[in-house]
Amino acid sequence: MWMKIQSARGTRDFYPEDMAFRQWLVERWREASRRAGFVEVDGPELESLELYTDKSGPEIAEQLYWLEDKSGRKLALRPEFTPTLARMIAARQAALPEPIRWFNVSRCFRYERAQKGRLREFFQWNIDLVGVEGEIGDAECISIAVDALKNVGLTPADVQVKVNDRRLLGALVRHLGIAEERVPQVFAILDKRAKVPPEALAVMLAEAGLESAQREGLERILAWQGLGDIEARELATSEIHAAVEALNRLFAHLEHYGIAEWCRFDIGIVRGLAYYTGPVWEVHDLKGEFRAIFGGGRYDRLLGDMGGKAMPACGFGCGDVVLGLLLEERGLRPAAEPAADCFVLREKPDWPEMLKAVRFLRGMGLRTQFDLKEGRLKRQHEKALESGARFKVILGEAPWPRARIIDSRAAADGAMKERVADLAPDDPEALKNLKVFLGVGAS
RNA sequence: GUGGGCGUAGCUCAGUUGGUUAGAGCAUCGGGUUGUGGUCCCGAGGGUCGGGGGUUCGAAUCCCCUCGUCCACCCCA
């Protein structure tokens, strides 16, 4: 009866191939993080529900998993890492040297309808850079994201970082005469522009109370292909001027990071979240088949709003689901590594001898398998082949400790390398030779 | 949460207008063959056809509910 129970909606089982891929992906994330000198942190998967409702309002409880513990405390499975980060920083901020360079890989949960690329349980990589005010901080974050993209085998022909700045968009919207209190609503509508036909967008903007001149102005702005398209008359206000200069500084940094070809300005990038205060960016696949792979930006007020000292901050998040789908689709998902380096075989069963060999090989740090099911030699050869182990160690052809070792990796001339040697030799020279043959670092 | 498509073996899928004990390939397990082996041959296990209810002499097939999945909406930290 237990086998009738399916995995819960929106969750995944990770069989060995899936687990290998997940760990490979997480390792690529960690490499990119560490290359930039970031350190890993983590917090609990269970957090007080208030941590999320205080920030986003009680409605947010509908969109996450929460429960009451045996004492009646309301706890939530974390839907993201940022609130935890804010809490951790607030608790120690006096002692943390700035800038804070932290990264995190967390299992997160969201209670929402599962769809392709969007599950209820997923893994998310977060980079947070706290204490850096200038565009160099945003550029640093983007460069780490691009490093990770390269690290998994993607190229600018596959994906692109689309960069915008909320201050620019906000200044332009205000310049069109749109009331300040309407700006969040207008942002929310603009955020949908890629998913909705232009006519529908116009209707939504009209319903938001925008006059036709304002709608036309927005359409003109959204048609911009680059910063160079910004017409002189749009630069009328100092606010717009300053925002454009900030973006120019950001792009200059990206140029010097050597990643300009990965990045482009896109006035349409808004991000759904209200807390972004400056540059915002997303990574999308060029074909537009998938939803955003990365989302990031600057959130200078978040830490202060969460009860800590106000500190400038920027960062991004990247989930495993969409990135995994993209890599799968592009054929970039790597094959799992073999689980063994050595496979020990012996025709006549002789466990003491077999286990002496196994202990010796494992003692050298070699991942070693043998046939636990006592198959005949032919079957053992098949299992050795299936294991993917590089070395076959064949016992019993000569008296212990003599073994024949076959290196399945072809030599330069294409021949199989093979040698007969004593296992666990006392002679240091023989041991050294054996280690060289088995590719074990001398020690 | 709303609407729609799809659920047959571990995987990819057959299964005629409703008609005997539901099939194939791959995979798994076992046996045999083959000259350091991934070949070939033989065999086996595995499905209450996602689950439950209904219609019918009879349901994988038709109807309802439910679970899962995919798509669109809502939302997207």
Side-chain angles (χ1 to χ4, degrees):
Chain A
M1 68 168 209
W2 46 269
M3 44 197 218
K4 287 169 113 176
I5 299 172
Q6 298 170 306
S7 61
R9 180 179 236 173
T11 65
R12 291 166 290 172
D13 292 323
F14 291 88
Y15 288 91
E17 321 80 76
D18 311 309
M19 194 63 197
F21 175 64
R22 188 179 111 195
Q23 282 179 330
W24 173 86
L25 188 61
V26 168
E27 265 323 295
R28 303 290 82 74
W29 286 344
R30 292 197 163 116
E31 280 171 8
S33 307
R34 290 180 183 138
R35 261 201 285 272
F38 280 58
V39 293
E40 188 162 8
V41 295
D42 203 359
E45 284 186 23
L46 269 179
E47 287 276 13
S48 290
L49 181 60
E50 301 163 90
L51 185 65
Y52 308 106
T53 52
D54 281 2
K55 178 183 124 196
S56 311
E59 322 81 62
I60 197 76
E62 296 302 312
Q63 291 163 54
L64 42 81
Y65 280 93
W66 65 274
L67 56 108
E68 264 181 38
D69 73 5
K70 293 177 183 182
S71 310
R73 282 183 280 259
K74 290 182 177 174
L75 300 172
L77 291 173
R78 62 182 169 196
E80 58 167 332
F81 184 68
T82 305
T84 300
L85 174 103
R87 191 170 51 71
M88 289 169 69
I89 288 177
R92 290 241 179 128
Q93 61 191 3
L96 294 170
E98 292 179 31
I100 298 166
R101 296 180 174 91
W102 283 1
F103 80 96
N104 167 257
V105 176
S106 49
R107 189 192 284 262
C108 297
F109 300 84
R110 291 178 188 174
Y111 191 81
E112 55 188 359
R113 197 83 155 108
Q115 275 183 51
K116 190 173 189 176
R118 206 173 144 197
L119 301 175
R120 289 181 167 186
E121 180 202 36
F122 55 95
F123 293 85
Q124 187 166 283
W125 172 38
N126 273 276
I127 279 277
D128 289 283
L129 176 57
V130 179
V132 179
E133 208 160 351
E135 287 76 23
I136 188 70
D138 303 277
E140 172 83 342
C141 292
I142 292 173
S143 80
I144 296 168
V146 170
D147 189 25
L149 291 168
K150 280 188 212 165
N151 215 11
V152 297
L154 292 166
T155 70
D158 300 306
V159 292
Q160 200 145 47
V161 187
K162 297 181 174 181
V163 184
N164 191 19
D165 192 314
R166 281 235 170 149
R167 291 167 296 186
L168 174 62
L169 200 54
L172 289 165
V173 166
R174 280 186 287 273
H175 185 48
L176 289 171
I178 295 168
E180 183 67 36
E181 61 271 17
R182 288 246 167 80
V183 171
Q185 190 186 358
V186 171
F187 276 16
I189 295 169
L190 292 182
D191 194 34
K192 297 189 203 308
R193 104 218 157 280
K195 305 176 66 178
V196 189
E199 315 82 62
L201 202 70
V203 171
M204 290 163 82
L205 290 169
E207 284 169 356
L210 267 60
E211 295 158 21
S212 64
Q214 294 172 335
R215 296 202 300 274
E216 281 165 25
L218 276 177
E219 277 169 32
R220 193 175 65 247
I221 289 165
L222 287 174
W224 291 348
Q225 294 300 307
L227 278 170
D229 289 353
I230 300 179
E231 297 164 44
R233 61 178 163 150
E234 316 283 4
L235 294 171
T237 72
S238 59
E239 196 188 7
I240 296 173
H241 203 75
V244 170
E245 289 204 327
L247 265 172
N248 278 326
R249 284 195 299 275
L250 174 55
F251 275 94
H253 292 316
L254 296 174
E255 176 78 38
H256 294 128
Y257 271 105
I259 57 172
E261 62 172 339
W262 293 79
C263 307
R264 59 171 295 181
F265 168 70
D266 186 332
I267 189 70
I269 296 298
V270 184
R271 305 285 300 146
L273 263 185
Y275 63 57
Y276 288 111
T277 55
V280 284
W281 52 277
E282 292 176 352
V283 177
H284 288 265
D285 68 289
L286 239 53
K287 290 191 206 160
E289 283 176 76
F290 302 97
R291 56 183 78 236
I293 303 160
F294 286 70
R298 175 164 287 279
Y299 38 93
D300 286 345
R301 286 196 289 271
L302 182 68
L303 293 171
D305 289 348
M306 299 261 325
K309 179 176 79 175
M311 294 171 97
C314 53
F316 64 81
C318 171
D320 72 308
V321 183
V322 178
L323 185 52
L325 286 170
L326 176 66
L327 293 173
E328 180 83 41
E329 195 256 348
R330 297 294 152 92
L332 292 170
R333 180 172 158 152
E337 297 276 319
D341 303 307
C342 297
F343 200 100
V344 186
L345 310 81
R346 196 185 195 287
E347 174 68 87
K348 297 256 165 50
D350 184 339
W351 290 126
E353 199 171 273
M354 177 73 90
L355 297 182
K356 263 189 280 184
V358 167
R359 285 172 63 192
F360 169 68
L361 293 164
R362 289 180 180 168
M364 286 201 299
L366 291 163
R367 298 169 304 160
T368 304
Q369 288 183 349
F370 58 101
D371 183 16
L372 287 159
K373 294 181 73 173
E374 306 183 53
R376 290 164 51 182
L377 191 60
K378 159 167 171 67
R379 186 73 187 116
Q380 294 183 37
H381 276 291
E382 286 170 6
K383 294 212 173 153
L385 196 64
E386 283 162 13
S387 77
R390 176 175 173 182
F391 297 102
K392 285 201 272 198
V393 178
I394 304 167
L395 305 175
E397 292 178 352
W400 175 265
R402 191 129 293 194
R404 192 153 56 91
I405 305 172
I406 300 170
D407 180 351
S408 67
R409 208 173 291 179
D413 59 5
M416 286 260 211
K417 286 183 284 184
E418 139 168 15
R419 83 163 45 181
V420 175
D422 287 349
L423 296 182
D426 292 329
D427 175 17
E429 195 59 27
L431 181 62
K432 193 179 158 197
N433 288 338
L434 184 57
K435 282 185 171 178
V436 168
F437 185 73
L438 290 171
V440 180
S443 56

